[in-house]
């Protein structure tokens, strides 16, 4: 599953910057690395599958995180 780096909005309203997808060293599970764009601007990780899932809000099926604006990746790949 691919995930575009960039600005995302959580279904509850706050915005985040997604840096990319990392791999857990023990489980090999893919984790999204992202930063809150409010408060203390904390860094977070969440399983890719959960980040990309849809949730029900007021009877509507919406993405947990919706892409606002795509950005180039900050990490270079060889």
């Amino acid at each position: 599953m691919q995930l575009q780096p960039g600005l995302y909005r959580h279904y509850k309203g706050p915005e985040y910057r997604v840096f990319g997808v990392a791999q857990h060293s023990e489980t090999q599970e893919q984790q999204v690395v992202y930063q809150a764009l409010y408060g203390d601007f904390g860094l977070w990780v969440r399983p890719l599958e959960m980040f990309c899932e849809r949730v029900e809000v007021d009877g509507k099926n919406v993405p947990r995180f919706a892409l606002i604006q795509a950005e180039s990746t900050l990490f270079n790949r060889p």
Side-chain angles (χ1 to χ4, degrees), residues 47-59:
L48 177 61
E49 188 173 310
M50 182 185 286
F51 189 94
C52 295
E53 74 185 357
R54 298 180 72 82
V55 295
E56 188 172 322
V57 178
D58 297 328

Side-chain angles (χ1 to χ4, degrees), residues 2-59:
Q2 293 286 349
L3 183 69
Q4 176 69 47
L7 300 177
Y8 284 77
R9 181 172 290 118
H10 189 268
Y11 74 94
K12 292 181 181 176
E15 293 183 4
Y16 298 85
R17 172 165 281 115
V18 168
F19 295 107
V21 177
Q23 191 168 342
H24 189 288
S25 63
E26 299 295 323
T27 65
Q28 309 306 307
E29 182 180 30
Q30 291 185 308
Q31 304 280 324
V32 177
V33 180
Y34 61 106
Q35 180 180 30
L37 297 179
Y38 62 91
D40 66 0
F41 292 82
L43 290 175
W44 297 85
V45 295
R46 181 186 294 252
L48 177 61
E49 188 173 310
M50 182 185 286
F51 189 94
C52 295
E53 74 185 357
R54 298 180 72 82
V55 295
E56 188 172 322
V57 178
D58 297 328

